[in-house]
Amino acid sequence: MYKFDVQHIRLGISACLLGEKVRFDGGHKRSVYCSNELARYFQFVPVCPEMAIGLGAPRPSIRQVQFAEQIRIQNVKGELDVTDELQRYCQQKVATLDFLSGYILCAKSPTCGMERVTVYKAGTNNGSKSGVGVLAAALQQQWPQLPIEEEGRLNDLHIRENFFTRVYAYHDWQMLQQSGVSRHKLTDFHARYKYLLLAHCPKLYRELGPLLADASLPETAVAERYFVTFMAALKHQASRNNHTSALQHIQGYFKKSLSKQQKAELSQAIMDYRNGLKPLLVPLTLINHYLQEFPSPYISRQVYLNPHPQELKLRYAY
């Protein structure tokens, strides 16, 4: 079975979500899920851009304000403008975060909001939810494949499972890079992720094989293009139909090993999952059971069977 790296994976996080009193009112937005659950599996790297540029807490609240073609970061009265300081800090900070495998942001913040940040029309209290926080924008620009999510959206179990699937895959890629990329290692990496990719996006999965086989491209170009497409594929949420297809492909590896009754049992578990009668864990548990009885090195190495620690309880959404 695929084994996770024993070291703690490092995630960036808005400092207020860990209970640090860094908000404009001197308070915090502590996330119980992040502080109590995730802290057991990840090493957090807290960041608060507003405190980092010296605004302090408590402080006047700031917001994004639209001036013609430019968005400025100001307080409500407009006499405090921290646009340049924030942009400079965020660009410098994110450039040092190459060791992160993901990032959890505080929603709606003019610095940390991933989407739907309110942008006010200059001189009014009228705004549209069209903005992106300064730090979030810098992260997306500097590390476009980095898994980034807002804490509140992690309450959606499908979004949560997809995010952490990408976090662990991103970390796995980082470990590959540290060991030195080669075509052989890329091919092996791709083989381990075959069924996870099929469950998320069969179309992009089919593009990756020919890319790896393209001898006209230098190794570094192949690796770069592979990773971009790989992370794009995983960003698609896995569907019930795609999961069913992946399970049926894996089932084929047992056709010479299982008894007639065992084959029927696995087929029924997969169909019950497809029809919404049983969770994904039922056919997966059965497959893992059969792997103990009838070992298959190729299937045992599939990340699909174990994309993240079971203790995180992330596959209950399916």
Side-chain angles (χ1 to χ4, degrees), residues 158-169:
H158 289 91
I159 292 176
R160 181 189 298 183
E161 198 275 340
N162 180 270
F163 173 68
F164 286 109
T165 294
R166 289 185 289 128
V167 165
Y168 278 93

Side-chain angles (χ1 to χ4, degrees), residues 15 18 35 60 112 126 137 191 201 215 217 225 230 237 248 270:
L18 294 182
S35 299
C112 295
N126 300 321
C201 188
L217 291 174
R225 294 185 188 183
F230 172 78
Q237 284 196 13
Q248 289 173 331
I270 293 173

Side-chain angles (χ1 to χ4, degrees), residues 44 54 59 69 111 142 197 226 232 286 288 294 297 311:
F44 284 127
R59 58 180 176 270
E69 300 300 316
T111 54
Q142 179 73 31
L197 289 166
Y226 179 89
L286 200 53
N288 281 312
F294 309 106
E311 292 81 3

